Amino acid sequence: MNDYFSDRENGPRARTEQVISPEVWAGLVATVQALVNSGAFGLRFPERCPDGQAICGCDQDALGASVIAEMPGLTWPLETARLVEDGFLRQQQPFVPDTLLILDFVEFVYASVAKPIPGKHHDFFNHHHFTFDQQSGQEEFRATVNRIFARNGVAFEMLSNGRIVRVLPPVLGDELKRTVFRTGDRILDNLLEESRTKFTDRNPLLRREGLERLWDAWERLKSLADPEDKKKSIKIILDATADEVTLRQRLEDEARELTDIGNSHLIRHTELTQIPVIDVDHVDYLFHRLFAMIHLLLRKKRPV
């Protein structure tokens, strides 16, 4: 099923969750276990028929060993609950690995899965011999993962090449994808492109680096009109952006406020007195706010 009644009636859920929940992890584990049971990993981890060596299933021991080796921190079989002791009480509690580790594992599964196609039935061993359609198996797995993510509002999506990317907020995401940076200043173009690349990464630390690069771009942008005098330069740039007096003043206030944010928070400098920006939602907000300003100024300077 591609959609459900509630999606058709109310629209899809907002993709804002950047941490995978125990429920989503349990759903992914159930999906992988069903694939194991169907023999869908037999192309990469084949179980061979003793009579003729045709593939008749999946070697779960080999699959598990590979998961443990390539995904440090995961166990095999995969865990969705752990026993927790609290005094005299012992009870199972939901368990979920780190989100980045889960996303790595999902990419691993995509690279390993293939749709099993039953062929000859071997009566003596009571099993089928399989051939595989890797493309179909990968696409079916991708569709399942993306449906689980979408239904739970998870802000990640698997592309057709098996790579997982972050789903950006709709308005900001559209502009980031469409914009081509041609400012006339190669260093500024590189800063903006690096900022975009890092901000779209699934790793929160790299997204924060993207915010830092955007603030570096902001400081360079303010000098474009007059490299010798930044105050004069930003005045020229703002004058070209808006003629109406009230809006022009608000843009100047916003430019000053953005500069103060960069100087007072742990974005452009590393003094002990600065306030770090750690929360991923705060990173998104600040990036969105500054990018909107930069995008406006560049459009008024030269269409991008």
Side-chain angles (χ1 to χ4, degrees):
M1 181 177 289
N2 293 323
D3 62 354
Y4 288 90
F5 176 81
S6 60
D7 297 326
R8 299 190 299 272
E9 192 75 5
N10 301 323
R13 180 174 171 180
R15 306 283 287 274
T16 59
E17 299 297 329
Q18 299 184 45
V19 176
I20 291 180
S21 67
E23 293 78 13
V24 171
W25 170 239
L28 294 172
V29 170
T31 298
V32 172
Q33 188 58 58
L35 292 171
V36 170
N37 295 340
S38 73
F41 297 102
L43 182 62
R44 182 172 176 185
F45 304 101
E47 179 183 0
R48 300 284 183 178
C49 174
D51 183 10
Q53 295 300 298
I55 299 176
C56 60
C58 165
D59 185 339
Q60 295 195 40
D61 291 338
L63 171 60
S66 186
V67 169
I68 292 171
E70 294 192 39
M71 304 289 132
L74 289 185
T75 61
W76 190 265
L78 299 167
E79 293 181 291
T80 58
R82 282 186 173 176
L83 191 63
V84 177
E85 296 189 18
D86 184 10
F88 295 103
L89 297 177
R90 303 176 67 195
Q91 58 183 351
Q92 293 280 348
Q93 291 190 356
F95 168 76
V96 57
D98 178 77
T99 293
L100 292 182
L101 180 58
I102 293 174
L103 297 178
D104 287 347
F105 173 67
V106 171
E107 289 187 343
F108 168 90
V109 173
Y110 177 90
S112 305
V113 73
K115 184 175 183 177
I117 301 173
K120 173 187 175 182
H121 185 265
H122 197 150
D123 294 333
F124 183 80
F125 291 105
N126 194 28
H127 62 217
H128 282 91
H129 295 166
F130 291 110
T131 56
F132 295 88
D133 183 340
Q134 187 172 40
Q135 183 175 356
S136 294
Q138 290 176 331
E139 183 54 34
E140 289 178 8
F141 175 70
R142 183 175 82 92
T144 299
V145 168
N146 285 338
R147 184 169 61 252
I148 291 174
F149 284 172
R151 292 283 294 170
N152 289 274
V154 177
F156 299 103
E157 186 170 23
M158 177 173 277
L159 302 180
S160 58
N161 62 2
R163 294 179 66 87
I164 291 179
V165 297
R166 182 183 173 218
V167 177
L168 295 173
V171 176
L172 177 60
D174 291 343
E175 288 297 339
L176 274 176
K177 291 175 183 177
R178 286 200 304 261
T179 302
V180 178
F181 301 115
R182 297 193 183 98
T183 66
D185 182 271
R186 180 175 297 180
I187 294 177
L188 178 56
D189 289 345
N190 289 340
L191 286 171
L192 290 169
E193 186 59 40
E194 183 181 357
S195 173
R196 168 165 53 189
T197 300
K198 288 180 177 292
F199 185 69
T200 56
D201 196 274
R202 68 195 194 198
N203 189 329
L205 294 179
L206 287 179
R207 298 207 294 274
R208 188 184 182 283
E209 290 181 12
L211 180 64
E212 294 170 0
R213 292 297 178 274
L214 190 66
W215 241 273
D216 292 339
W218 169 240
E219 292 302 318
R220 188 170 183 87
L221 169 63
K222 291 191 296 182
S223 300
L224 285 186
D226 189 339
E228 303 298 325
D229 188 335
K230 184 180 286 188
K231 289 185 178 179
K232 180 180 178 182
S233 176
I234 189 61
K235 181 180 184 304
I236 294 172
I237 293 171
L238 290 172
D239 286 344
T241 303
D243 295 328
E244 198 277 319
V245 176
T246 303
L247 179 58
R248 167 64 176 76
Q249 183 59 51
R250 290 190 181 279
L251 289 175
E252 183 173 333
D253 294 342
E254 176 70 353
R256 186 180 298 110
E257 177 70 14
L258 289 169
T259 298
D260 290 344
I261 290 172
N263 290 334
S264 61
H265 289 73
L266 200 60
I267 298 174
R268 295 189 58 245
H269 307 289
T270 56
E271 285 84 352
L272 294 176
T273 57
Q274 290 188 304
I275 305 168
V277 180
I278 299 174
D279 190 296
V280 292
D281 292 326
H282 297 165
V283 171
D284 280 359
Y285 163 73
L286 291 174
F287 191 100
H288 197 154
R289 182 174 172 181
L290 181 56
F291 182 83
M293 183 66 159
I294 290 175
H295 189 258
L296 173 64
L297 298 187
L298 290 180
R299 285 182 63 88
K300 293 303 181 181
K301 174 182 180 295
R302 176 188 297 178
V304 296

